[in-house]
Amino acid sequence: MSRAALGLLFLATMLAGCGALDPYPTVPRAIQPGQPPGQRVAICYNTMKSSLAQVQTEAQQECAANTLAAPVDTDWYMQNCPLLLPARATFVCTAKK
């Protein structure tokens, strides 16, 4: 097999693996003016692959018991999330009513 064919095979394998990344917890963004206080959690995710329901479920798992994960912010700064999961959703865990 030629080098070009091996290179294309490697590239195809890498691109096929891009869809295998699931949302995961990361460091939340600092509180912004006007946002509610409380425990903050954040989730890195791919906006093309992950639904908002998946991201919300992942955030809820990070919140303490008897709280609800309420979305407050989404950003695409890549300091905390990798290229394949560039979006970071930040949630505040609020007490259940």
Side-chain angles (χ1 to χ4, degrees):
M1 194 178 267
S2 72
R3 282 187 167 183
L6 284 174
L8 286 174
L9 180 62
F10 177 75
L11 180 61
T13 303
M14 292 298 294
L15 289 176
C18 289
L21 297 174
D22 293 326
Y24 70 91
T26 188
V27 177
R29 187 171 182 197
I31 191 166
Q32 303 297 307
Q35 291 181 349
Q39 177 194 3
R40 302 166 67 76
V41 297
I43 305 295
C44 288
Y45 69 102
N46 183 325
T47 57
M48 303 288 276
K49 179 187 178 293
S50 302
S51 69
L52 294 177
Q54 286 175 305
V55 177
Q56 179 80 31
T57 300
E58 190 71 32
Q60 187 63 51
Q61 291 175 357
E62 295 300 309
C63 285
N66 296 322
T67 62
L68 294 173
V72 292
D73 192 21
T74 299
D75 66 76
W76 289 268
Y77 304 123
M78 291 196 205
Q79 290 91 346
N80 296 302
C81 295
L83 182 62
L84 298 178
L85 298 170
R88 175 177 61 173
T90 301
F91 297 80
V92 172
C93 302
T94 58
K96 288 184 180 178
K97 295 180 182 179

